[in-house]
Amino acid sequence: MAGEDFQALSAKEEADLELLMSECQIAMSNAELFAEQLSKQLSVLDGANIHSIMGSEDQVLNLMRLLDEGIQMAESIEEKLTSYDLILANVKEQMEVMQDKETLVTRRNTNHQRLLEHLDHLINQLDLDMKHMKALMDGDLTSPSGIYECTVAAQALHKCMNAEIHPSMLKMAAVEEQQKRFRKLSSKFSQRLAHHLNNQFIHQGNEIGGTLSRLAGELRMPQHESTHKELVIYAELMLWLKNMDQPVFQALATVYTDSLSKLYVQEVRDFFESVKQRLMVREGKGKHGTLKLSGSTSSLTKIGHDGRSVSMQSVDSAHPATHVYGSESDLAARNLFDQVLEKVLQELERVCIAEQDFCFRFFHLMDKSASPIPEQAVSNKDGESGGTEDVWQLQTSAANEEFYVENLGQGLLQKRLTPDMRQINDEVRAMMAELFPTLETELEAFLSYAERQDSMYTMYMLVRISQHVINNQHMGSFLGKTFGNYLIKVKRGFDKYIDMMIQGIREVRVSKKNRCGIISFVHQFEEFANLAEAIFKGSDRHTDLNKAYTKLVHVLYEQIQRVASEHQKTPREVVLMENFHRMFSILSHLKNAGLEADRKEAKQRYTDNMLAYTITLLGRPLEKLHIFFEGVEARVAAGVKREEVGFQLAFSKQELRKVIREYPGKEVKKTLEHLYKKVEKQLCEEENLLQVVWHEMQDVFINQYKHYDELMKKCYPDSQLGLEFTIENVLQYFSDIAQSH
C-alpha cells in the first residue's frame, strides 16, 4: 500500500526542497536535527496562521452571510425558472396542437381542390356536347357540311370513350353509366354510317355503262376522280370506324372491293379489246383492206421490197439482196404498236396508282411502324398539315368547316403521294389484287395476241415493260409486282422468238444452181440487229439482247460452215470469205463490246479463206512452173544440195528453159484475164470484194514470182535463167485488167 501512495516530486517541488536543504547546512549530515528544525518552523507557521485567522473572523462571518444570501437568491431564481418552464411547456403543447390543426386544414383544402379538379376533368372528358350527340344520331351523311359535323362529333365521341381515367374512377356508377351511353351511341352511329357507305359503294360499282360508252372511241380507261371525290370526304369517318369498330370497317372494305372489282374487271377487259381493235385497224389494213401482219410465231417471215411475204424455209431460190427484215408498212405497224403499248402501260399506271392512293388514304392502310401520313385531309385554317394525332383535334370553327367542305372533297387526291410516303405493305397489295383480279390475266392475253401478230413485238414489250417495272418497283406496289410478273413472261416470249430464229436459220436451204453470195440468214441477222438496236437503245434490257446476239452469232457461224460445205456451185472458200466478211462488217457496225471476240473471229475467218481462195486459184496460171519448183523443193528437202539440183535430169537447166518458154508475158496476162473473169463470176456483187481479192492475188502472185526467182538464183546460180516478165510487168498486167473491167 505504501508503494501505491508514493508520488514522485514534481520539478517545482524538487527545486523548493533543494533550496530548503541548501539553506540548512546540517541537512545532509544530521537529518534528525534538520527534521527537528523543520518541525519547529512548521509550528511557528501554524501559530501565525491561527493568529491570522482569528484576526479575520469578522470578514469570514461577513463572507458566510453573503454566501447564505446568494444561496437564497439562487433558490428564488430557480423557483421562478421552474414556474416559467411550466408556463412554456403549456405554450409548447398549445403551439404543437395549433400547428397540427393548420397542417390538417391545408391538406384538407388541397385535397378538396384536387378532388374538384379531378371531377372537373372527369366531367369534361365524359361530357359530350348535345350538338355532337344530335349529329351522331340524326346528322346528314350526304352533304359536305353534314359529313363535317358528323366527323367532328365522331372524333369527340372517340375522345370521350378513350379518355385517360384512373382505374378507381371507372368503378363509379356515373362513369359506368356514361360509358355505357357512349358505347350505345357509337354502335348506332357505326351502323348508320356503315349502311350509308355500303349503299355508296354498291352504287359506285353499278355505274359502268355510261363511262364506257363515252370512251368507246378513245384509247383511254375511265377516270374515277369523281368517285374518289365523292367518297374521300368520308375518310376521317372511315378512320374512326377502323379504330372503333374493326369488324364493320373490314366488312365495308370487303363491300368496296367486291363492288369496284366488277367495275374494273369490265373496264380492263373493254380497254384491252379496244387496244386490239386499234392495232388491227391501224396496223393490218393491206392494199385490198384485208388484215395481214407478218412474222407469226409459226414461221419466220421476211418481207421483200415488193411487199411479198417470203418464208425463211423457201428463200433458197430468191436473191438475198432483195429481202429486208420488214417492209415500210411492217415497220410503221411496229412503231404504232410501240406507241400503243406505251399508252396502255401509262393508262394502267394512271388508273392503278390513282386507285391505290385513294385506298391508301381512304382505308388508312399504313404499317403500324410507319410514320403518319404527311398530308392530312384535315388541316387548320392556314392549310398546315399535321400528323395522325391531329385528326382527333379538329376544331369546329367556321373557318375549318369551310376548309373541309371546299378543299377536302376537291383537292385531297390532287397531291400525289411520293414513293417514300406510300409505305406500301401487304394489306395495300392485297386490296389492289382484289380490285384488279383480272389485270395480270388480261396482260398475258395481250402478250399472246401480240406474239400471234408479230413475234418481234416481244422486243418492244420487253423494253417498255422493263422501264415501267423500274418506275414502280421502288415502292413495291401492286402494279410493280404485276408488271414484274408480266416482264418474266415477256422475257420468255423474247427467248422463244430468238429460239425460233435459230430454228429458222438451221432449216434454211440455199439453191445449189446459182452462186451462193450472202446467205439469207446473214441478211436477216443484219436487219434484226439494226432494228433491235433501235428498239433497245438506252434500255437496261440490252444485256438480254447481247445474250441473244451471242446465241445467234454462234449458230450463224455454224450454219455458214454448213452452207459452204453443201454448196456445189460456189467454192467453199468464197462462201466463207463473203459471209464472214459481211458478219465482220455487221459486228463492227454494232460496236458491241460483248461481241468483240466474235468480230475478231469473223475477221480472221474472212482473211484466212480469202488467202486460201487466192492461193488455190493462183496455182493454175503458172501451173507447170509451180509443179516444177515443187519438185525442186522436194529434192532439196530430201537432202540434195541446191546447186546440185540442176544436174538431175528432170530438173536440169534445159527442162527449166522449156517451162519458162511456156509462160511469156502475153500468155501470163491472158491467163490473168481469164482468172479475173472466173473470180468475177464466182464472187457476188453485193459484197464488193472483187478488187480486194484481185489485189490479194496480185500480192500472192508477186510473192510467188519472187520465190521462183530466188530458187532459180540459188539452184541455178550461173545459168542466167529468169522469167520472161518482170515484177513491173506483173503490176501493169493486174492494173490493166482491173481498169478494163
Side-chain angles (χ1 to χ4, degrees):
M1 296 298 293
E4 293 178 1
D5 295 336
F6 173 78
Q7 292 182 354
L9 295 176
S10 63
K12 186 177 182 305
E13 291 175 343
E14 185 178 353
D16 292 341
L17 182 57
E18 288 180 355
L19 179 60
L20 180 60
M21 292 178 67
S22 63
E23 291 178 354
C24 185
Q25 297 296 328
I26 62 173
M28 298 301 295
S29 59
N30 193 349
E32 293 180 359
L33 182 60
F34 177 66
E36 184 179 352
Q37 289 180 357
L38 290 176
S39 297
K40 291 180 180 180
Q41 290 179 2
L42 180 59
S43 299
V44 174
L45 290 174
D46 288 340
N49 286 335
I50 291 172
H51 286 294
S52 175
I53 291 172
M54 293 297 292
S56 58
E57 182 178 1
D58 294 336
Q59 294 179 354
V60 172
L61 292 173
N62 189 29
L63 177 61
M64 293 298 293
R65 182 180 57 81
L66 291 174
L67 289 174
D68 291 338
E69 292 178 357
I71 291 172
Q72 292 177 358
M73 292 180 65
E75 291 176 352
S76 176
I77 292 172
E78 186 175 358
E79 291 177 356
K80 289 182 179 182
L81 290 176
T82 301
S83 63
Y84 291 159
D85 286 339
L86 293 174
I87 295 172
L88 290 176
N90 187 26
V91 172
K92 180 180 179 183
E93 292 178 358
Q94 294 179 357
M95 292 297 294
E96 290 178 353
V97 171
M98 293 177 63
Q99 184 178 4
D100 292 340
K101 289 182 177 181
E102 183 179 3
T103 302
L104 291 173
V105 171
T106 302
R107 184 175 300 171
R108 183 178 61 185
N109 293 337
T110 302
N111 290 337
H112 287 171
Q113 182 66 30
R114 292 179 63 183
L115 179 59
L116 289 174
E117 291 176 357
H118 280 293
L119 290 175
D120 288 341
H121 182 64
L122 179 62
I123 293 172
N124 291 333
Q125 285 182 309
L126 299 179
D127 184 23
L128 185 63
D129 197 300
M130 287 301 298
K131 67 176 183 179
H132 293 333
M133 297 180 67
K134 183 178 180 181
L136 294 173
M137 295 297 295
D138 304 315
D140 185 10
L141 291 174
T142 59
S143 65
S145 58
I147 295 171
Y148 173 81
E149 293 175 356
C150 291
T151 302
V152 175
Q155 293 170 355
L157 177 61
H158 178 274
K159 186 177 180 181
C160 291
M161 296 183 67
N162 292 273
E164 295 182 1
I165 302 175
H166 194 275
S168 60
M169 292 187 176
L170 293 175
K171 299 179 181 180
M172 296 175 61
V175 174
E176 292 179 350
E177 182 180 354
Q178 189 73 346
Q179 291 284 16
K180 185 177 180 180
R181 291 177 59 193
F182 289 156
R183 286 192 293 270
K184 185 177 180 181
L185 183 61
S186 174
S187 177
K188 290 184 177 180
F189 179 69
S190 175
Q191 294 176 3
R192 191 166 72 91
L193 176 61
H195 178 74
H196 177 75
L197 291 178
N198 185 80
N199 293 337
Q200 286 284 98
F201 296 159
I202 295 175
H203 174 71
Q204 296 294 345
N206 291 333
E207 290 187 350
I208 299 178
T211 303
L212 296 177
S213 61
R214 289 197 303 270
L215 299 176
E218 302 180 25
L219 198 61
R220 291 183 58 197
M221 289 190 67
Q223 297 182 354
H224 295 274
E225 291 184 359
S226 59
T227 301
H228 294 161
K229 289 178 180 179
E230 291 179 7
L231 295 177
V232 76
I233 56 178
Y234 298 98
E236 301 310 317
L237 291 176
M238 287 296 293
L239 179 58
W240 178 84
L241 272 179
K242 187 174 184 179
N243 289 312
M244 301 297 294
D245 199 338
Q246 187 66 220
V248 172
F249 175 82
Q250 293 296 340
L252 281 176
T254 302
V255 172
Y256 178 82
T257 53
D258 290 345
S259 300
L260 270 295
S261 64
K262 299 176 183 178
L263 175 63
Y264 281 124
V265 166
Q266 183 68 33
E267 289 178 355
V268 171
R269 180 169 59 249
D270 292 346
F271 176 67
F272 276 104
E273 285 299 324
S274 65
V275 170
K276 294 175 184 178
Q277 292 176 7
R278 176 70 61 87
L279 291 175
M280 292 177 64
V281 173
R282 295 291 297 275
E283 295 179 17
K285 282 189 176 180
K287 184 182 297 184
H288 302 289
T290 58
L291 299 179
K292 176 183 176 184
L293 289 176
S294 63
S296 66
T297 55
S298 60
S299 65
L300 274 177
T301 303
K302 296 178 66 178
I303 308 299
H305 289 299
D306 57 356
R308 292 186 298 107
S309 298
V310 183
S311 173
M312 284 293 296
Q313 287 81 357
S314 61
V315 296
D316 53 320
S317 60
H319 195 286
T322 63
H323 301 295
V324 294
Y325 207 73
S327 63
E328 292 183 1
S329 60
D330 223 17
L331 295 176
R334 289 168 183 159
N335 289 332
L336 177 61
F337 174 80
D338 186 35
Q339 297 173 7
V340 171
L341 175 62
E342 177 63 19
K343 180 65 175 177
V344 168
L345 298 177
Q346 289 177 354
E347 284 297 302
L348 291 177
E349 277 188 347
R350 179 184 61 79
V351 173
C352 289
I353 291 178
E355 182 62 35
Q356 179 175 277
D357 286 348
F358 170 76
C359 292
F360 187 79
R361 288 181 176 275
F362 187 74
F363 293 99
H364 303 273
L365 304 177
M366 186 189 301
D367 287 330
K368 294 181 180 179
S369 59
S371 59
I373 300 175
E375 296 179 11
Q376 287 297 330
V378 181
S379 302
N380 58 26
K381 184 177 180 180
D382 297 328
E384 297 175 355
S385 60
T388 304
E389 63 275 6
D390 294 334
V391 173
W392 309 116
Q393 298 176 0
L394 184 66
Q395 302 298 322
T396 57
S397 65
N400 279 328
E401 181 176 357
E402 180 181 356
F403 176 85
Y404 187 88
V405 173
E406 293 183 358
N407 295 280
L408 181 59
Q410 301 295 326
L412 175 63
L413 295 180
Q414 292 179 0
K415 294 183 178 179
R416 289 294 179 202
L417 292 174
T418 63
D420 294 335
M421 295 177 181
R422 284 195 171 96
Q423 303 289 347
I424 302 303
N425 53 26
D426 293 338
E427 192 176 3
V428 179
R429 287 189 289 270
M431 176 166 280
M432 290 297 294
E434 293 176 1
L435 287 170
F436 296 89
T438 62
L439 179 58
E440 192 166 343
T441 304
E442 292 292 343
L443 283 171
E444 292 179 13
F446 181 68
L447 171 61
S448 300
Y449 169 82
E451 286 182 330
R452 289 195 302 271
Q453 302 306 309
D454 191 339
S455 297
M456 290 199 72
Y457 286 169
T458 56
M459 291 197 295
Y460 293 95
M461 288 190 287
L462 183 62
V463 173
R464 291 295 184 183
I465 292 294
S466 177
Q467 184 58 46
H468 285 268
V469 168
I470 294 175
N471 294 339
N472 291 276
Q473 68 180 0
H474 58 281
M475 58 185 175
S477 65
F478 159 77
L479 190 62
K481 184 179 179 181
T482 302
F483 280 172
N485 295 335
Y486 184 49
L487 178 62
I488 294 174
K489 294 178 175 63
V490 171
K491 177 60 169 60
R492 290 173 183 169
F494 174 73
D495 293 338
K496 179 182 176 182
Y497 171 65
I498 298 301
D499 293 339
M500 183 182 63
M501 284 186 61
I502 292 174
Q503 183 65 25
I505 291 171
R506 287 174 175 165
E507 294 176 355
V508 166
R509 296 294 180 268
V510 298
S511 174
K512 299 178 181 179
K513 297 179 181 180
N514 302 321
R515 63 182 175 184
C516 181
I518 304 301
I519 308 173
S520 57
F521 51 67
V522 176
H523 279 291
Q524 179 204 18
F525 175 74
E526 182 177 12
E527 296 294 333
F528 166 78
N530 291 334
L531 184 58
E533 285 298 315
I535 296 173
F536 283 83
K537 184 178 181 180
S539 173
D540 64 311
R541 306 300 302 193
H542 208 288
T543 52
D544 297 310
L545 181 61
N546 293 341
K547 293 177 182 178
Y549 281 155
T550 302
K551 292 173 63 177
L552 288 170
V553 168
H554 290 172
V555 174
L556 285 170
Y557 286 2
E558 172 189 312
Q559 295 305 308
I560 290 173
Q561 294 278 10
R562 175 184 63 82
V563 173
S565 300
E566 294 177 353
H567 207 279
Q568 300 175 357
K569 186 73 174 179
T570 306
R572 179 177 181 275
E573 292 81 4
V574 173
V575 176
L576 296 175
M577 174 185 66
E578 291 181 332
N579 283 278
F580 278 112
H581 178 267
R582 174 58 66 90
M583 288 300 300
F584 171 72
S585 175
I586 295 171
L587 298 180
S588 298
H589 179 71
L590 287 178
K591 297 179 181 179
N592 192 313
L595 298 175
E596 183 62 23
D598 297 317
R599 189 184 72 86
K600 292 181 179 179
E601 182 182 355
K603 182 179 181 180
Q604 187 63 42
R605 291 195 182 190
Y606 149 68
T607 304
D608 293 344
N609 283 283
M610 183 173 65
L611 181 60
Y613 173 62
T614 304
I615 293 175
T616 300
L617 285 181
L618 283 178
R620 295 169 186 170
L622 306 176
E623 185 173 1
K624 293 182 179 180
L625 188 64
H626 181 72
I627 294 173
F628 181 86
F629 280 108
E630 276 187 347
V632 171
E633 290 177 333
R635 293 295 184 275
V636 173
V640 179
K641 294 182 180 180
R642 292 181 178 180
E643 59 272 13
E644 296 179 359
V645 173
F647 296 103
Q648 296 190 10
L649 183 62
F651 301 102
S652 63
K653 296 178 182 178
Q654 291 77 13
E655 293 295 327
L656 178 59
R657 287 192 183 98
K658 291 180 182 180
V659 175
I660 291 175
R661 282 197 295 268
E662 292 186 14
Y663 294 102
K666 292 182 179 180
E667 185 66 24
V668 170
K669 183 176 181 181
K670 183 179 179 181
T671 304
L672 290 176
E673 287 180 348
H674 178 72
L675 180 62
Y676 185 90
K677 293 178 181 179
K678 191 174 186 65
V679 173
E680 187 177 25
K681 185 178 180 181
Q682 291 178 344
L683 297 182
C684 66
E685 298 178 359
E686 180 183 0
E687 203 59 21
N688 196 24
L689 288 176
L690 178 60
Q691 295 303 322
V692 178
V693 173
W694 188 243
H695 187 272
E696 182 67 20
M697 285 187 173
Q698 173 184 292
D699 293 341
V700 173
F701 191 92
I702 291 175
N703 289 335
Q704 286 185 358
Y705 181 97
K706 292 179 180 179
H707 180 63
Y708 298 154
D709 187 63
E710 184 179 357
L711 285 176
M712 285 187 288
K713 289 179 180 179
K714 291 181 178 180
C715 297
Y716 308 93
D718 299 325
S719 62
Q720 302 297 323
L721 294 175
L723 297 174
E724 296 184 4
F725 54 90
T726 64
I727 292 178
E728 288 74 15
N729 297 138
V730 173
L731 293 173
Q732 189 63 40
Y733 297 158
F734 275 92
S735 177
D736 292 343
I737 293 172
Q739 291 179 3
S740 64
H741 291 78

